[in-house]
Amino acid sequence: DTGVSQDPRHKITKRGQNVTFRCDPISEHNRLYWYRQTLGQGPEFLTYFQNEAQLEKSRLLSDRFSAERPKGSFSTLEIQRTEQGDSAMYLCASSLGGVNTGELFFGEGSRLTVL
Amino acid sequence: SQQGEEDPQALSIQEGENATMNCSYKTSINNLQWYRQNSGRGLVHLILIRSNEREKHSGRLRVTLDTSKKSSSLLITASRAADTASYFCATGDTGTASKLTFGTGTRLQVTL
């Protein structure tokens, strides 16, 4: 499968624990995005990378959130000291070039439930 | 934050009927894209229309764009049960063009 893959697909954790999500984009794509989606809402932008550089972060990305893309390939999104409000689907997407030139390719998402 | 809203929020039709969804947005855009999302899954790109285009077709899909009204519509003709999903519009603005900003979505239910 050469699409965007995300791991894990589902994560249940207790409040206060740390969680990490991984995203493997399509191999030749230089841009990688993280979005968060809550039930009944559209995806909300969190952050994006061009190669290994994190170029933009949303205000939604509090200091408990950190994202990395160390070698310009896969990316990780870590949430520290999880809160119940962090429960959501975390979506990763990749693209070749910017959003003005084409589409985003999404993974199947990582669903987080914080108890 | 959401760029705009889709209308209606939910739509239920019978197989074979046409489904029309509308999207309004707030800022100047470079392009507008439509995505589909099956329940609990990722989003799949359907179609992209640029700001200098007014209408675009792809199979059973027809998209229109009115930049003066900051609105777009997605028409699905001869709907099928497999079209049941949520549909989102997304815009790339003319500023940094760094990301897509999604709307709130229309949940389409197509019944047999």
Side-chain angles (χ1 to χ4, degrees):
Chain A
D1 184 25
T2 57
V4 177
S5 63
Q6 292 188 244
D7 183 70
R9 290 290 314 280
H10 303 274
K11 178 72 176 179
I12 300 173
T13 191
K14 292 182 179 179
R15 189 176 53 186
Q17 297 295 305
N18 299 345
V19 297
T20 299
F21 301 114
R22 177 180 169 124
C23 172
D24 287 90
I26 294 172
S27 59
E28 63 267 26
H29 285 184
N30 60 348
R31 290 199 175 202
L32 185 148
Y33 307 80
W34 285 100
Y35 283 82
R36 182 175 74 181
Q37 186 178 27
T38 53
L39 197 62
Q41 299 297 312
E44 294 178 295
F45 172 78
L46 292 178
T47 188
Y48 95 98
F49 294 83
Q50 180 164 306
N51 300 314
E52 66 275 11
Q54 187 174 19
L55 296 185
E56 186 173 341
K57 293 193 293 185
S58 162
R59 289 171 297 173
L60 294 175
L61 215 66
S62 75
D63 56 6
R64 295 185 297 105
F65 288 69
S66 63
E68 294 183 342
R69 194 182 183 195
K71 297 182 179 179
S73 57
F74 73 92
S75 176
T76 58
L77 176 68
E78 181 184 16
I79 309 173
Q80 295 182 327
R81 305 181 303 281
T82 53
E83 302 173 356
Q84 288 184 325
D86 297 331
S87 294
M89 175 80 89
Y90 290 86
L91 293 162
C92 176
S94 68
S95 69
L96 185 62
V99 298
N100 288 340
T101 58
E103 66 190 271
L104 300 187
F105 293 80
F106 280 85
E108 295 289 2
S110 292
R111 180 169 295 284
L112 173 65
T113 302
V114 181
L115 302 176
Chain B
S1 63
Q2 310 288 172
Q3 161 71 295
E5 293 186 356
E6 278 90 333
D7 171 56
Q9 289 187 330
L11 179 61
S12 182
I13 60 174
Q14 290 190 321
E15 203 171 45
E17 296 181 332
N18 296 342
T20 299
M21 289 159 264
N22 302 297
C23 165
S24 61
Y25 58 90
K26 298 174 183 174
T27 63
S28 297
I29 63 170
N30 181 282
N31 68 69
L32 186 143
Q33 303 183 29
W34 284 90
Y35 287 79
R36 164 198 169 120
Q37 184 179 37
N38 284 27
S39 180
R41 307 294 295 273
L43 284 79
V44 176
H45 180 263
L46 294 176
I47 194 165
L48 180 153
I49 185 166
R50 302 198 181 280
S51 59
N52 61 353
E53 297 176 310
R54 292 295 168 259
E55 187 171 312
K56 203 163 183 180
H57 296 256
S58 177
R60 295 185 294 113
L61 305 181
R62 172 180 171 255
V63 169
T64 62
L65 179 63
D66 187 334
T67 53
S68 68
K69 295 181 179 178
K70 291 186 168 58
S71 67
S72 174
S73 68
L74 171 68
L75 168 67
I76 304 174
T77 60
S79 63
R80 305 166 182 168
D83 295 328
T84 294
S86 291
Y87 292 82
F88 297 92
C89 66
T91 53
D93 63 39
T94 56
T96 61
S98 59
K99 62 186 181 290
L100 289 181
T101 303
F102 286 82
T104 52
T106 292
R107 290 179 297 284
L108 174 66
Q109 176 77 41
V110 181
T111 56
L112 295 172

